[in-house]
Amino acid sequence: MTSLNDQESSKGLAAHEIPKLFDPIGKASISLEDYKQAHAESIRDPSAYWSQQAKSYLDWYVPFDQALTGDFSAGDIAWFAGGKLNVCYNAIDRHVRNGKADQVALVWEGDEPDDIRRLTYLDMQRKISQIANALHAQGVRRGDVVTIYMPMIPELPMTMLACARMGAMHSVVFAGFSSEALAQRISAARSAFVVTADLGKRGGKSIDLKGIVDAARAKIDCEDIITSVMVWERFFDQDSETAPYDMQPKDVRMDLLVAGQRPCHVPEWMDAEDGLFLLYTSGSTGTPKGLLHTTGGYALYAAFTTKNSFALEDGDLFACVADCGWITGHTYVVYGALLNGATTFVFESTPVYPDPGRYWDMVERHKITQFYTAPTAIRLLMRYGDHHPAKYDMSSVKVLGTVGEPINPEAWRWYFEAVGKSKCTIVDTYWQTETGGHIVTNFPGVTPMKPGSCTFPSYGIDTVILDPMSGEPVTEANEKGHKEGVLAVRQPWPGMARTCLGDHHRFMTTYLKVYEGYYFTGDSAYLDQDGFHWIVGRVDDVLNVSGHRIGTAEVESALVSHAAVAQAAVVGQPHEIKGQSIAAFVMLTDGFSESESLIKELRSLVRQEIGGFAQPDLICATQSLPMTRSGKIMRRILRKIVCNEVESLGDTSTLADPSIVDELIAKVAELQ
Ligand code: ATP
Ligand code: MG
């Protein structure tokens, strides 16, 4: 077993020694002062600000006359209503018209590194038109919901864009979800059309997606709702008369159907407030919410944030390695880069296949200019060592992005130094499925960076920290100099979701009625002395130990700074004297095993980094943690386990590995 000394030397700096502030990297055309002024201007008159942006970022078929109508109290927000446009036209056709027909729009790398496809804007326009005609032939009409359950192949973004082209709403269900979760989403959206593929591939393994769709059809009322299941074939053979899967009634061989269509389709001109898509949240905190995003506001916000947060320039190859099943995949794989006329990268595999250098190898081979992933992937790769990124020439990268959770400073530093060679900006982008795009983030070359802080609000976003009890803005700093409370937004922005599908009441009570007059994010946060935003954790997860409010992010960050800890999750458990005590779950790095001395070291690490009051009473070492399939920890399940409320675990349909729950129940029972 590795000794403590080795662990320290392999990590270099201890967590508290990581510098707290980094200067902006590179030169932007504006200074921090300019940003502050421009931001103040953008929130002074949102209607005027976004009206101007909407005209410069998008082509309108019929111009809008008023940018914003409605407000948070009534929940009737609309942007650019009356204006008409088509998002697919904006993402593809106008670039073909403007001299980019032969520019590569999409680079795809499949599960195997040598499986590569490149599609130009013209290729995309033709293929998407064929897909739109194929969908039409199957009965899809404007306003219909098309459920997409597909692997990360180029046909996935193209099917999404074909829906946008014909005015149908896509509802993408992540292809890692079970037949149960898929059936629930088909049924809730009353979606008569399903587009899938026979096979998915990940990490060298094949996944029988069609089989999962068939199983979903047998559930709830799906078979009554569905009229057509369109199946892409992974290895399509034009001459083969039989499908390479077990065909059911209503199944359609999609490649054949598409091949028979004309590569020309007139886009449907949509009202800016018509629905563009439905998407479910990750389900970290409860039952996933089916959110509706609309056409004009979402498209503008996707284009605008991609351009600004990532300093996107003409000729860039933008790589977001999220799956299209998440909002990150919608906004930053499909819509953002294409609306800007850049090239987007679509990745099918995992960060560790065939080895943990996969991302960096891709960056070198394709000359990726922006690379965007999540802290969970960074932590995973960090544990495999610096020699993986060191092997590759990553000088093409300008910006590295992170999203999904607060990033612990140690992972931030590794991303910055081992991956970015201290030459790339790290943008810590805070946002949600509901927000459509980044709402708090730094800007390359403009904002100084503090590892772990998502820094300042994006343009047009008026953030505010509210006192959770009174609902009033926090004006006084606490003893640490922090203005702490819950994060809210004071006025509407174009990218925000408009409603929960079929349940506007839930939308109002979850986001707009909690603190009257504000959009409530559900996250705890504080502003430090310099006004930087720090996300502390989910409101329901914040701990209160002997009167100290402690964020989950802070304690987890201290724990993962130990070389033996790959991931950590902390939750509160009731305590007679302290009110709450802390229970910590730690997933150990390969090569480390559980021991009494390790547990002691972890306790003292938390004491040293935060203080004695934050020391966990219970530390449970485990092989894995309950995570959503998007890689986020489901702390609510851990809380139920430590509180012995295992009968009421709630919605577990988005868990990546449900079997971990029973293991943890047994383990905790042993320790308690
Ligand atoms: P559900 O709403 O169903 O519980 P979820 O909140 O995990 O699921 P998403 O919309 O995918 O679903 O995630 C948004 C949340 O992710 C934010 O509310 C925040 O807690 C967290 N988050 C995202 N980006 C960041 C970031 N850069 N820093 C800190 N937290 C982040
Ligand atoms: Mg959420």
Side-chain angles (χ1 to χ4, degrees):
M1 210 186 128
T2 322
S3 75
L4 181 63
N5 285 341
D6 291 344
Q7 292 159 19
E8 274 181 347
S9 61
S10 72
K11 281 192 302 130
L13 295 177
H16 62 273
E17 289 166 348
I18 297 173
K20 298 273 185 271
L21 188 75
F22 289 76
D23 285 335
I25 306 284
K27 264 215 157 353
S29 52
I30 66 163
S31 67
L32 183 62
E33 269 321 300
D34 294 337
Y35 151 77
K36 287 189 173 162
Q37 266 184 21
H39 179 261
E41 184 63 21
S42 72
I43 58 177
R44 198 179 50 78
D45 184 352
S47 229
Y49 181 78
W50 289 114
S51 172
Q52 201 187 357
Q53 304 305 331
K55 286 172 195 154
S56 97
Y57 276 86
L58 299 172
D59 280 8
W60 294 81
Y61 185 68
V62 174
F64 55 91
D65 30 56
Q66 204 179 348
L68 171 64
T69 54
D71 58 37
F72 284 159
S73 301
D76 59 346
I77 292 135
W79 284 92
F80 319 117
K84 293 200 188 306
L85 75 167
N86 183 280
V87 176
C88 180
Y89 174 87
N90 272 276
I92 305 290
D93 301 53
R94 66 167 166 156
H95 306 310
V96 172
R97 288 184 170 206
N98 294 339
K100 287 191 172 171
D102 298 329
Q103 183 195 303
V104 175
L106 186 153
V107 177
W108 173 75
E109 187 162 307
D111 196 36
E112 299 301 332
D114 58 359
D115 203 0
I116 293 167
R117 283 168 66 188
R118 291 188 176 82
L119 293 150
T120 65
Y121 272 102
L122 183 59
D123 296 335
M124 295 274 282
Q125 187 185 38
R126 289 177 177 155
K127 182 86 184 250
I128 291 165
S129 294
Q130 286 183 302
I131 299 172
N133 285 326
L135 292 170
H136 190 270
Q138 283 298 299
V140 178
R141 294 292 178 270
R142 187 181 170 126
D144 286 343
V145 177
V146 178
T147 300
I148 301 180
Y149 185 76
M150 286 180 66
M152 284 291 280
I153 54 176
E155 283 70 17
L156 169 52
M158 287 195 284
T159 304
M160 293 165 71
L161 287 159
C163 289
R165 190 172 188 90
M166 61 195 304
M169 290 186 277
H170 51 75
S171 170
V172 182
V173 179
F174 172 54
F177 276 140
S178 64
S179 54
E180 189 65 47
L182 174 62
Q184 280 167 10
R185 285 157 176 73
I186 292 171
S187 172
R190 317 275 329 147
S191 171
F193 308 96
V194 178
V195 184
T196 186
D198 55 345
L199 286 183
K201 287 194 142 289
R202 258 174 93 79
K205 294 194 196 88
S206 290
I207 305 146
D208 175 17
L209 297 180
K210 175 63 170 54
I212 299 171
V213 171
D214 289 344
R217 283 168 71 165
K219 294 186 167 67
I220 330 181
D221 47 359
C222 286
E223 198 55 34
D224 299 336
I225 297 171
I226 294 172
T227 59
S228 165
V229 176
M230 291 160 259
V231 190
W232 291 101
E233 287 165 28
R234 189 57 199 242
F235 303 101
F236 175 61
D237 175 0
Q238 178 96 42
D239 299 324
S240 150
E241 281 176 16
T242 49
Y245 53 87
D246 183 16
M247 271 188 98
Q248 306 291 323
K250 303 180 193 173
D251 282 358
V252 180
R253 292 185 70 190
M254 188 63 166
D255 302 79
L256 267 186
L257 179 67
V258 168
Q261 306 298 318
R262 190 181 160 206
C264 172
H265 173 273
V266 182
E268 193 72 28
W269 300 109
M270 307 300 288
D271 191 280
E273 275 300 318
D274 279 332
L276 178 65
F277 65 85
L278 291 173
L279 185 65
Y280 286 84
T281 57
S282 308
S284 313
T285 58
T287 313
K289 298 166 275 270
L291 293 158
L292 175 81
H293 279 282
T294 58
T295 302
Y298 173 83
L300 169 60
Y301 206 65
F304 179 91
T305 52
T306 306
K307 170 95 185 152
N308 288 285
S309 312
F310 295 106
L312 192 75
E313 290 170 299
D314 237 21
D316 279 352
L317 175 52
F318 182 89
C320 166
V321 289
D323 193 281
C324 284
W326 312 117
I327 189 70
T328 308
H330 282 58
T331 307
Y332 300 108
V333 177
V334 182
Y335 290 108
L338 296 177
L339 283 164
N340 280 292
T343 305
T344 193
F345 187 80
V346 177
F347 179 51
E348 183 181 31
S349 192
T350 82
V352 291
Y353 183 75
D355 66 52
R358 180 67 183 270
Y359 281 165
W360 324 130
D361 181 28
M362 291 193 308
V363 167
E364 175 180 296
R365 282 186 287 110
H366 297 283
K367 300 207 169 15
I368 286 166
T369 47
Q370 285 89 356
F371 181 84
Y372 193 25
T373 187
T376 175
I378 301 165
R379 281 195 294 271
L380 172 76
L381 296 175
M382 176 171 77
R383 297 303 174 199
Y384 283 104
D386 298 5
H387 59 284
H388 287 291
K391 268 194 267 179
Y392 301 98
D393 172 9
M394 289 190 273
S395 53
S396 57
V397 182
K398 297 179 280 190
V399 180
L400 295 166
T402 165
V403 59
E405 300 170 272
I407 184 166
N408 49 300
E410 206 209 358
W412 191 98
R413 188 176 64 99
W414 187 79
Y415 204 25
F416 186 69
E417 289 175 0
V419 179
K421 313 286 185 293
S422 306
K423 288 187 182 125
C424 301
T425 298
I426 295 196
V427 284
D428 184 344
T429 60
Y430 168 85
W431 62 297
Q432 312 177 296
T433 310
E434 299 84 346
T435 68
H438 310 148
I439 60 166
V440 186
T441 179
N442 50 310
F443 294 111
V446 180
T447 328
M449 298 173 284
K450 291 191 185 185
S453 163
C454 48
T455 75
F456 299 121
S458 185
Y459 296 107
I461 303 295
D462 191 4
T463 52
V464 56
I465 303 286
L466 299 177
D467 178 317
M469 302 311 287
S470 70
E472 295 297 323
V474 174
T475 48
E476 299 285 309
N478 62 17
E479 70 284 358
K480 291 187 208 148
H482 299 163
K483 288 185 186 139
E484 182 156 2
V486 299
L487 182 63
V489 183
R490 221 185 302 246
Q491 56 197 14
W493 66 100
M496 65 179 290
R498 304 291 194 261
T499 192
C500 289
L501 172 71
D503 195 352
H504 196 61
H505 179 72
R506 185 173 186 197
F507 187 77
M508 294 303 288
T509 52
T510 311
Y511 309 107
L512 302 182
K513 286 284 171 214
V514 185
Y515 300 102
E516 192 68 38
Y518 298 96
Y519 168 84
F520 172 52
T521 61
D523 289 314
S524 288
Y526 68 86
L527 302 185
D528 69 14
Q529 296 91 327
D530 305 321
F532 281 64
H533 290 57
W534 296 79
I535 304 299
V536 169
R538 311 305 180 108
V539 168
D540 299 340
D541 292 339
V542 170
L543 311 154
N544 196 327
V545 184
S546 310
H548 299 278
R549 274 171 56 80
I550 310 168
T552 48
E554 200 179 0
V555 184
E556 289 163 6
S557 184
L559 290 166
V560 295
S561 72
H562 193 289
V565 180
Q567 308 264 4
V570 304
V571 293
Q573 52 183 358
H575 187 280
E576 271 180 28
I577 300 156
K578 301 190 239 183
Q580 264 187 329
S581 69
I582 297 180
F585 292 80
V586 291
M587 198 173 122
L588 298 185
T589 310
D590 277 351
F592 286 89
S593 51
E594 192 180 346
S595 68
E596 244 174 66
S597 64
L598 174 65
I599 302 292
K600 262 201 199 138
E601 276 171 33
L602 293 178
R603 281 213 175 91
S604 71
L605 187 61
V606 175
R607 189 170 56 232
Q608 181 193 336
E609 294 288 332
I610 306 171
F613 60 89
Q615 274 192 94
D617 279 15
L618 179 137
I619 298 185
C620 175
T622 154
Q623 290 305 307
S624 91
L625 291 168
M627 294 216 201
T628 64
R629 282 163 203 261
S630 55
K632 297 182 195 201
I633 298 157
M634 280 207 202
R635 293 183 194 79
R636 65 183 163 88
I637 290 185
L638 296 173
R639 196 162 46 232
K640 294 275 182 192
I641 294 176
V642 296
C643 298
N644 295 315
E645 292 167 11
V646 292
E647 279 74 43
S648 55
L649 288 177
D651 190 318
T652 53
S653 66
T654 64
L655 264 182
D657 171 20
S659 71
I660 181 66
V661 176
D662 287 337
E663 269 172 51
L664 288 176
I665 293 173
K667 192 104 206 251
V668 167
E670 235 175 71
L671 291 170
Q672 273 178 338

